[in-house]
Amino acid sequence: MTDFLAEYYYYIKSLHIIFVVTWFAGLFYIPRLFVYQIEAFYKPPPEKEILGKQLKLMTKRLWFIITWPSSILAIFFGVLLIIPRLFYLTDSWMQVKLGFVLLLVIYQIQTHVYYKQLQKDIVKRSSSFMRIWNEGATFILFAVVFLVVLKNALNWVFGVIGIVVLGILIMLGFKIYKSIRAKNPDA
């Protein structure tokens, strides 16, 4: 089995990367759909019903046709990549990366909780919260890419600083966008 995995390592790695990309695509888009669902929930009838029904269908398809299958396949191919190279598990960068992957899975499970609530018209979070929640996967993506590419402890410091700066910029952008929307709700 290990010889097979070693022989097809780059094919497996390609599939892993493809499914990581589609997994993140789903995780980037689903909270945005939640924002629209929450905003549609407060619209007057019949707009509320029409938009609500369409957005529920869109989120259901995205969640179960793209996001969940992609996450399972990304993890599956990731495990296959590790089997012939178990020595990576002793590298600190890989341990931290796997910690971020675990954090991403937790993020997805919590997003699934929000998905189930919104499918039942239970609105517990604001659209502003979902805009911020939408950035969770972005932070994890940045962290994982920097870890995989840099692998060096000194470079981690710059990566962490970069993630903090990214967070600050996203929050500033969010505040600016919120003030623009307050002045012009159609912006």
Side-chain angles (χ1 to χ4, degrees):
M1 176 71 164
T2 306
D3 291 337
F4 173 83
L5 295 175
E7 184 177 342
Y8 291 99
Y9 181 81
Y10 291 106
Y11 293 101
I12 296 166
K13 189 173 190 175
S14 297
L15 290 169
H16 174 66
I17 292 168
I18 289 165
F19 288 113
V20 166
V21 169
T22 57
W23 183 11
F24 272 99
L27 290 176
F28 289 153
Y29 192 48
I30 198 88
R32 177 56 50 185
L33 289 174
F34 293 167
V35 168
Y36 301 144
Q37 273 186 279
I38 292 165
E39 290 176 352
F41 184 79
Y42 296 105
K43 293 198 178 287
E47 195 175 7
K48 174 183 177 177
E49 290 78 16
I50 294 167
L51 287 172
K53 183 178 178 184
Q54 183 62 37
L55 289 166
K56 283 179 185 179
L57 179 62
M58 290 170 67
T59 56
K60 180 180 176 183
R61 288 177 177 166
L62 174 65
W63 202 233
F64 290 112
I65 295 173
I66 296 172
T67 312
W68 271 110
S70 295
S71 66
I72 292 165
L73 290 168
I75 292 168
F76 172 75
F77 287 115
V79 168
L80 291 181
L81 288 173
I82 290 292
I83 291 172
R85 291 173 166 79
L86 288 174
F87 58 87
Y88 276 150
L89 294 176
T90 62
D91 292 348
S92 57
W93 71 269
M94 179 58 82
Q95 294 167 2
V96 174
K97 176 195 171 191
L98 292 175
F100 277 111
V101 172
L102 177 63
L103 189 61
L104 186 65
V105 170
I106 292 167
Y107 175 87
Q108 181 169 343
I109 290 167
Q110 183 58 48
T111 301
H112 188 79
V113 169
Y114 297 142
Y115 164 81
K116 286 172 40 176
Q117 289 170 351
L118 289 170
Q119 289 297 97
K120 296 175 185 174
D121 289 326
I122 300 169
V123 178
K124 291 187 175 182
R125 300 291 183 169
S126 68
S127 60
S128 294
F129 173 85
M130 283 302 164
R131 283 185 174 88
I132 294 170
W133 182 258
N134 193 34
E135 304 309 326
T138 304
F139 288 114
I140 296 170
L141 176 65
F142 268 73
V144 169
V145 169
F146 276 108
L147 281 166
V148 170
V149 172
L150 301 176
K151 295 180 179 96
N152 177 312
L154 179 61
N155 290 331
W156 288 9
V157 173
F158 294 116
V160 169
I161 291 169
I163 290 169
V164 169
V165 169
L166 174 68
I168 291 167
L169 291 174
I170 287 172
M171 290 302 168
L172 286 173
F174 180 74
K175 286 185 180 264
I176 291 168
Y177 180 71
K178 192 172 182 179
S179 69
I180 290 170
R181 283 205 48 166
K183 294 174 187 170
N184 181 4
D186 293 328

